[in-house]
Amino acid sequence: MIRSTGGVRGADPLRCGWLAAPVMLWTAPALALAPARDGTPVDLYLSAFASLESHELAALALMLGVVFFAVVTSILLVRTRQRAGSAEAEARREIDALTSEIDRVNALLQSDPQIVVAWPAGSDEPDVSGDVTIVTQATMPQRVLAFESWLPDDQAEAIRSSVERLRASGEGFAMTLTTLGGQSIEADGRAIGGRAVMRLRDVSGIKGELVALAGRHERLVGDMMALRTLIDALPFPVWARDHEGRLDFVNAAYAGAVEARDPTEAVERNLELLDKSARDDAARMREGGEPYRGRVPAVIAGARRIFDVVEVPTPAGSAAVGVDATEIETLRADMTRMVDAHRRTLDQLATGVAIFGADQTLRFYNEAYRALWDLDSSYLDHGPTDSAILDRLRAGRKLPEQQDFRTWKNQLHEAYRNVEAREDLWHLPDGRTLRVVTTPNTEGGVTYLFDDVTERLDLERRYDALIRVQGETLDNLTEAVAVFASDGRLRLHNPAFQKMWKLPEEALAERPHIEAVIAWCAPLQPEDQTLRALRTAVTTIGQRDTVKGRLERRDGSVVDLATLPLPDGATLVTFQDVTDTVNVERALRERNEALETADQVKIDFLHHVSYELRSPLTNIIGFAHFLGDPSTGPLTERQSEYLSYITVSTNALLALINDILDLATIDAGVMTLNLGPVDIRKTMEAAAEGIRDRLVKDHITLDIDTDPAAIGHFSADERRVRQVLYNLLSNAVGFSPKNGTIRLRAERRDGSVVFSVTDQGPGIPPEMKARIFDRFESHPQGSHHRGAGLGLAIVRSFVQLHGGTVDIESEVGQGTTVICSFPLQPPAQQQPAAA
């Protein structure tokens, strides 16, 4: 702490401390340099400082600071000037040295005719120095970079590319160029000090000759490498030998032929392609200085090949090449076979073919040509000229009549000088018409084609006439006919089509699509399923099906539609107005329904009556039986006779009612079969027993034809089978004459049991066979048979319930045979038989 010793009134050392510090700082150097007087410099300084006021101290501090700053700045300036003077002197010395170096370099550059082009880093403006006249006569140095003005195009492009790589990546280059004036220029480019520098130097004298020789050598090496590359890429073997006959060079094809890994291995191992005899022949020719040529065989990859070998002597030995002629030989043989095949084929053609050479002599003819003109083979085989053949045909009046035959023949022979084929029609005196085509041959000469088109022209005329007839027929049809092509457009129609659908002729003439035609028909017939099927049938490309349908139009008419796919992909569509037919059909259908209803009412009535009559009839039969029983009491002879009449009539009536009830049961679908084993022989005898009295009464013989031991059994309802046979025998007895014979036969045939009943009755007319099995159909045909007409209906129903069939064979006056076929095993479930 600094203590105050007076001179400062009221001065607080702590308040003045902030001023004392900078004053001491700035005045310390001065005080340090002041001479020592009374006391130390610090003491003097403190005593002087203590005697000042505060503002005086501030002024003193500011002044001392300025003085100190000026002193320090002066000292620094003096030192900086000293350093700058030294640096300037050094720079001048370096500039002088660099100037000397530049002068020396320029002297060196000017001593040799050359041009230096430098590109500074990051700049596209080059710095060109040197004598530019060595490459161009232009005064502007930058013209040196216009390489196309003083170099050929290929060299200009090469140096431009090299310069671009040098500037882009610093890649150096060196090349020798030849100007358009024939001057040799050495170009050298490299990166120096961050610059791309290119030097162009004129090369002359011995060095120029060396450069020229180097260029020639480079070209020769390039040519040799190109030739070697070409030879190595050839697909056929190439090889060279030294004076001793050993292999000196082979290409890749040779190495592959001798199965070597590469040409080097083939040369080292001296692998030979040709056999010894061929090599010896080539060596003898080589020793004589003559080339060797020959076609020799060689085995390559296990296959025998043919090579055309040429070996020529060279100063270093010999060089040879082998061309694979195997394919040529094969092609020549194939060509020969093909020509022979073509000749044989042409001989089989109906078209006459004659080929004349460039000298107009006949080279080839086929059998159709000879037969067409009726010429001798011996004459044609001698190769007569075209003109001689024409003269001979004219003499035989086989050519078309011409007013000026010479002019006509000259015009025909112009084909030897033409390049395009020509076609004519010859109308011969015998009525034939020939289509003659003259075609110039590429190797010279003419090929004549003679085609007899007489029949074709006649067919065309007949076809045209037929088309006209068909057109007239189509136009006069009452049916509407339209033909739609495979693209769905209308190709053909008749007036009836236009009239039926009320379509305008102008619209149909534009060949509208089926979609448009259907839309135009909408006022009469809206699109429905039938018209959609028609559109599909017309437009379908693949499988095309016929469409048939009926259209009920809005005008009340009915039209039948039918389509027919045509072989050419088109579709024939017909529309037939069947309004009248439909009306008649509807009337007949309504009448038939009324008749069927009436018939059903009749059947229902008979069924109902039969059920109602069966109970009282059973009672009558029962009481008649009681009356005939002696225990009831004696009857007179007349009463017994009347009782027998009652019994016979009631039994007949009961049988009729049972038949009607059976048919009713079948119609109701509730008839069931009691299936079981049926003894065929016993069933036949049981059925015959039921008509025994009638046979005796009418003196009719029954012949049962079956083998009891072989016929055996089959599965069926025995009661129904017996009923079927009984009805057949009863029907046969009714139609048989007195003293006639009925034959009942049974046999096994193709998994069925076949029963047949044959009588000698009057037979059945053909027109009645279709109704013979109908109910209530009974035709006596002059016999004493009378019945309700239910017997054969019952037979058919029961046989069909068993899954069998019924057939009838009959001729008028020859009797009738009814054949019933029962399966050995009837189906487990049977639908009700048709009535």
Side-chain angles (χ1 to χ4, degrees), residues 277-537:
S277 61
R279 296 199 305 273
D280 293 342
D281 294 340
R284 285 193 297 270
M285 299 295 292
R286 185 171 61 250
E287 291 173 357
E290 296 180 1
Y292 168 77
R293 293 181 177 86
R295 177 163 292 182
V296 296
V299 178
I300 298 177
R304 188 175 185 271
R305 312 289 291 182
I306 302 297
F307 285 90
D308 285 335
V309 177
V310 176
E311 185 171 349
V312 295
T314 63
S318 64
V321 60
V323 179
D324 192 346
T326 308
E327 294 183 359
I328 297 177
E329 288 295 321
T330 303
L331 289 176
R332 181 179 289 111
D334 292 342
M335 182 64 70
T336 302
R337 288 193 297 269
M338 186 180 298
V339 170
D340 293 340
H342 285 174
R343 288 179 178 271
R344 291 193 297 271
T345 302
L346 292 176
D347 279 336
Q348 303 300 321
L349 292 179
T351 300
V353 180
I355 300 177
F356 291 86
D359 57 353
Q360 298 190 11
T361 58
L362 183 64
R363 300 290 179 84
F364 171 80
Y365 68 92
N366 65 349
E367 180 60 24
Y369 174 82
R370 188 203 64 77
L372 176 66
W373 301 113
D374 193 20
L375 297 174
D376 294 334
S377 299
S378 58
Y379 170 73
L380 297 176
D381 291 341
H382 284 83
T385 63
D386 190 359
S387 180
I389 294 177
L390 291 177
D391 291 338
R392 184 164 183 167
L393 294 177
R394 183 196 179 200
R397 298 193 75 254
K398 298 178 181 180
L399 292 179
E401 297 293 341
Q402 303 293 335
Q403 293 182 353
D404 190 347
F405 178 74
R406 184 181 300 275
T407 302
W408 177 81
K409 184 169 66 174
N410 291 335
Q411 293 177 351
L412 182 64
H413 286 168
E414 288 180 359
Y416 288 94
R417 297 181 294 274
N418 293 337
V419 294
E420 296 182 356
R422 179 180 174 183
E423 180 177 339
D424 293 307
L425 287 179
W426 290 5
H427 300 283
L428 304 184
D430 59 0
R432 293 181 299 169
T433 301
L434 299 182
R435 173 178 169 268
V436 182
V437 179
T438 54
T439 305
N441 300 329
T442 55
E443 67 276 6
V446 173
T447 298
Y448 288 94
L449 301 178
F450 299 91
D451 190 9
D452 190 348
V453 295
T454 307
E455 184 177 355
R456 180 173 65 83
L457 294 177
D458 180 62
L459 288 175
E460 289 179 356
R461 288 191 293 269
R462 292 167 59 186
Y463 175 77
D464 292 339
L466 180 61
I467 289 296
R468 290 193 296 269
V469 171
Q470 289 180 349
E472 292 295 331
T473 303
L474 187 64
D475 289 342
N476 290 279
L477 285 177
T478 58
E479 294 182 349
V481 178
V483 177
F484 291 89
S486 58
D487 59 356
R489 294 190 172 275
L490 182 66
R491 179 192 296 177
L492 179 68
H493 69 281
N494 64 347
F497 175 78
Q498 176 188 353
K499 181 179 179 181
M500 175 178 288
W501 294 103
K502 300 178 181 179
L503 301 175
E505 178 64 26
E506 297 78 9
L508 296 179
E510 296 179 358
R511 298 186 62 209
H513 195 267
I514 182 65
E515 296 280 358
V517 174
I518 292 177
W520 294 341
C521 296
L524 292 174
Q525 177 63 45
E527 185 173 349
D528 58 1
Q529 184 65 30
T530 303
L531 291 183
R532 285 192 289 270
L534 170 62
R535 180 176 58 238
T536 302

Side-chain angles (χ1 to χ4, degrees), residues 548-614:
K548 292 183 179 180
R550 175 163 292 180
L551 305 174
E552 296 186 3
R553 306 199 304 180
R554 290 176 174 175
D555 58 358
S557 61
V558 180
V559 176
D560 277 350
L561 176 148
T563 65
L564 179 65
L566 299 179
D568 61 348
T571 303
L572 173 67
V573 184
T574 60
F575 301 90
Q576 184 177 7
D577 190 344
V578 293
T579 306
D580 296 337
T581 304
V582 169
N583 291 335
V584 173
E585 181 182 352
R586 287 173 180 172
L588 292 176
R589 186 179 293 109
E590 292 173 357
R591 180 181 178 185
N592 183 63
E593 290 175 355
L595 292 175
E596 288 180 353
T597 302
D599 186 63
Q600 186 63 36
V601 170
K602 180 184 69 174
I603 294 174
D604 293 341
F605 172 75
L606 291 175
H607 293 169
H608 180 70
V609 170
S610 298
Y611 277 109
E612 294 298 329
L613 292 178
R614 187 172 186 178

Side-chain angles (χ1 to χ4, degrees), residues 36-242:
R37 293 183 179 175
D38 296 336
T40 62
V42 176
D43 293 336
L44 293 176
Y45 171 73
L46 292 175
S47 63
F49 177 75
S51 64
L52 295 177
E53 294 292 337
S54 59
H55 63 278
E56 293 174 348
L57 290 174
L60 179 62
L62 179 61
M63 182 186 65
L64 292 176
V66 171
V67 171
F68 177 75
F69 176 75
V71 172
V72 173
T73 304
S74 299
I75 295 171
L76 293 176
L77 177 61
V78 171
R79 291 183 178 180
T80 300
R81 291 185 65 180
Q82 291 176 352
R83 290 195 206 97
S86 300
E88 182 179 1
E90 183 67 26
R92 289 183 180 279
R93 288 192 297 272
E94 186 176 356
I95 289 172
D96 293 340
L98 291 175
T99 301
S100 300
E101 183 69 20
I102 290 173
D103 293 339
R104 187 174 63 83
V105 171
N106 286 331
L108 291 175
L109 289 175
Q110 296 298 329
S111 65
D112 198 9
Q114 60 183 348
I115 302 171
V116 177
V117 183
W119 286 272
S123 175
D124 291 334
E125 292 296 328
D127 183 12
V128 181
S129 61
D131 186 8
V132 298
T133 59
I134 64 175
V135 296
T136 179
Q137 299 300 322
T139 58
M140 296 180 61
Q142 284 75 11
R143 291 294 296 172
V144 174
L145 301 179
F147 301 115
E148 293 84 355
S149 64
W150 55 277
L151 284 176
D153 292 341
D154 55 343
Q155 295 186 17
E157 183 63 28
I159 192 171
R160 179 181 291 105
S161 301
S162 299
V163 169
E164 290 177 355
R165 290 194 299 271
L166 172 64
R167 296 185 61 192
S169 60
E171 179 182 348
F173 65 89
M175 61 179 66
T176 301
L177 306 174
T178 303
T179 64
L180 295 175
Q183 187 177 3
S184 297
I185 300 297
E186 184 181 60
D188 184 15
R190 66 187 63 186
I192 301 176
R195 291 188 173 195
V197 179
M198 177 183 68
R199 184 181 66 172
L200 302 175
R201 189 159 59 94
D202 183 13
V203 181
S204 59
I206 297 176
K207 194 169 184 179
E209 292 180 2
L210 290 176
V211 171
L213 289 176
R216 291 179 57 190
H217 177 266
E218 183 178 355
R219 287 194 297 273
L220 289 175
V221 171
D223 293 342
M224 184 187 69
M225 294 303 298
L227 289 176
R228 280 185 173 271
T229 303
L230 176 62
I231 292 173
D232 198 56
L234 290 177
F236 42 81
V238 178
W239 64 96
R241 299 182 185 275
D242 56 16

